[in-house]
Amino acid sequence: MKHSEMELHLNKLNTAENVLVCVIRNWVASVNDNEDPRPFLGRVFDAAGILDGALMFDEFMHLTTSTAFRSMDIRREKCEVLGTGEKDILSVVSFFQFARVHWAYNRLLSWLPATSARKAFPLARGLSNIMSKVGLCVELRNEYLEFEVILGQVEASPSPGIPISKTFQ
């Protein structure tokens, strides 16, 4: 089993990760219900001290939903396990925060065409920077990585993204 395929449970997440999962799930649910997600985003991001991140996040999610060439597994609010789409988004923020910029871009390319990934890049980087400034750090987790043994040494690289279902759970 690849680490990127390992389940990641909500109770294992830190505050920054829980904030992102909350807004990801709410954004998708709001859009699916033909509601505007921005008021909720504003409240959550303001409470977290990162109000400037709300617009970046909204634009990032619009890019994802309008141009992704594969579906994203985003779970319902009460689901205790993260979907692979949620892990992909968290991993991009984490990679930027840990100065793994090329990993972040490659992960964006795992679900977005190159033109969209180039547009999403500064949005995700900006969000990760804003979060870092207030101490909201998304962990660099094994679940986001692939491991290979090369000449007796373990080499970690970002997972290229795995195929996921075409429906939201």
Side-chain angles (χ1 to χ4, degrees):
M1 176 185 298
K2 296 178 183 176
H3 289 277
S4 60
E5 295 170 345
M6 291 172 40
E7 286 189 348
L8 184 55
H9 294 261
L10 288 179
N11 63 1
K12 301 292 186 197
L13 303 181
N14 67 25
T15 301
E17 294 162 325
N18 274 303
V19 166
L20 286 176
V21 171
C22 175
V23 294
I24 291 167
R25 290 178 175 186
N26 182 274
W27 193 96
V28 169
S30 294
V31 170
N32 285 342
D33 293 340
N34 291 319
E35 296 175 4
D36 185 355
R38 291 173 295 183
F40 180 80
L41 293 178
R43 289 191 302 274
V44 172
F45 279 93
D46 189 31
I50 54 173
L51 182 59
D52 292 342
L55 181 59
M56 285 182 239
F57 178 83
D58 186 52
E59 289 180 38
F60 177 84
M61 291 300 289
H62 274 292
L63 264 173
T64 292
T65 58
S66 63
T67 65
F69 53 77
R70 69 171 170 91
S71 61
M72 302 291 284
D73 178 14
I74 307 296
R75 306 292 172 94
R76 294 190 185 277
E77 181 182 10
K78 297 190 188 293
C79 185
E80 292 295 318
V81 178
L82 266 63
T84 53
E86 294 162 330
K87 288 194 300 187
D88 283 339
I89 294 168
L90 289 174
S91 70
V92 168
V93 174
S94 175
F95 294 159
F96 276 125
Q97 288 182 331
F98 283 89
R100 306 296 199 276
V101 176
H102 62 288
W103 289 9
Y105 186 66
N106 285 339
R107 182 59 54 87
L108 288 169
L109 288 171
S110 76
W111 79 84
L112 293 172
T115 54
S116 296
R118 283 192 296 275
K119 291 177 185 174
F121 183 93
L123 298 171
R125 188 173 205 172
L127 178 61
S128 71
N129 289 342
I130 288 171
M131 291 177 71
S132 292
K133 287 179 185 174
V134 298
L136 291 172
C137 184
V138 176
E139 290 186 31
L140 184 59
R141 296 179 176 275
N142 288 341
E143 291 87 354
Y144 306 152
L145 304 172
E146 299 287 331
F147 292 95
E148 297 179 37
V149 177
I150 300 174
L151 299 177
Q153 296 183 337
V154 176
E155 294 284 331
S157 63
S159 167
I162 57 175
I164 55 178
S165 67
K166 297 212 181 261
T167 59
F168 291 106
Q169 293 188 6

